[in-house]
Amino acid sequence: MRWRAYGEHAALLDCDSLTQTIAAHATISSARPSGITELVPGARSLLVVETPGSGALAAVRELLSDADLEHPPEGEAREITLDVTYDGEDLELVARDAGVSAEDVVRLHTGTVYTVAFTGFAPGFGYLTGLPGPLRQPRLPSPRTRVPPGSVGIAGEFTGVYPRVSPGGWRLIGHTRTVLFDSRADPPALLAPGDRVRFRSAR
C-alpha cells in the first residue's frame, strides 16, 4: 500500500488488490475514527477525507499500519435482496461459455452473497464481488448502445445492475424491477460500499 496526498484534507491510499481495498474500507468503517467525513473506494484505491484540523488522517494511517488486511473485520453490513427475472439476452451465452445449463447459471448467481466493493460508472451502479468462478467471463466484444434499466450483468470478477438506460458491454443474464437510484430519495443510491447483496430468482 502507498499513501498519496490528495488536496489539503484528503489522502489517497493505493492498494495492491481489490481485496486489500475492501479490507481497508471495512477496517476504517468498523473503527469509525472521529474526523473522517468520507470514504470513497475504487478498484485499487481508497480516498479518505478528514475534517480540517482533526488529525484524522494520521489516525487512519496508524490504524491501517497495524491492521490485518488479509482478515478484515466482518462488521454489521446491511443485506439487500434483489428479485431477478433471469431472462437476459446473454444467459445462454454465459451458460455455454461456463459449460453449464442456464438453470445452473441461475443457481450459481443466486447461491452467493455478494459485497459492494465500490460504486461508479453511473449513479447507483455497484460493483459486486463474490461472483462464482464459472461466471467470471469477459465483457462482450462490442458493447450495446442501450442497456435497459434494471438489467443484471456480469463482467470479469463483478456482477451488477444497471440503474438507468446506458451503453454497456456486460453480459446480461436478467433484470430486476428494484430501483437502484432515485434522486429524490435519501440516500438516492440503494447500494453503498460494504453492503451485502443477494439475488433471488423471481419466477
Side-chain angles (χ1 to χ4, degrees), residues 173-196:
I173 59 175
H175 75 275
T176 179
R177 296 183 181 276
T178 302
V179 176
L180 275 293
F181 185 83
D182 181 354
S183 61
R184 299 163 296 182
D186 183 22
L190 176 63
L191 303 180
D195 287 347
R196 302 284 193 266

Side-chain angles (χ1 to χ4, degrees), residues 54-133:
S54 66
L57 287 176
V60 166
R61 287 175 185 254
E62 182 68 23
L63 173 68
L64 293 185
S65 69
D66 295 331
D68 178 3
L69 298 184
E70 297 302 318
H71 303 89
E74 290 291 334
E76 296 182 3
R78 281 195 313 161
E79 185 168 299
I80 298 163
T81 298
L82 301 177
D83 289 322
V84 176
T85 301
Y86 285 90
D87 59 354
E89 295 178 49
D90 303 312
L91 181 60
E92 293 297 334
L93 170 64
V94 170
R96 185 170 67 248
D97 284 359
V100 299
S101 67
E103 291 76 15
D104 286 332
V105 171
V106 175
R107 178 181 56 79
L108 287 167
H109 195 253
T110 57
T112 301
V113 180
Y114 300 91
T115 299
V116 181
F118 57 97
T119 58
F121 168 64
F125 189 96
Y127 288 78
L128 312 184
T129 61
L131 194 65

Side-chain angles (χ1 to χ4, degrees), residues 14-81:
D14 293 318
C15 299
D16 299 329
S17 65
L18 176 60
T19 299
Q20 197 174 73
T21 302
I22 294 172
H25 182 271
T27 298
I28 300 170
S29 297
S30 178
R32 298 179 182 177
S34 176
I36 296 299
T37 61
E38 193 171 10
L39 296 173
V40 184
R44 299 290 186 277
S45 64
L46 178 64
L47 178 67
V48 184
V49 184
E50 70 172 355
T51 301
S54 66
L57 287 176
V60 166
R61 287 175 185 254
E62 182 68 23
L63 173 68
L64 293 185
S65 69
D66 295 331
D68 178 3
L69 298 184
E70 297 302 318
H71 303 89
E74 290 291 334
E76 296 182 3
R78 281 195 313 161
E79 185 168 299
I80 298 163
T81 298

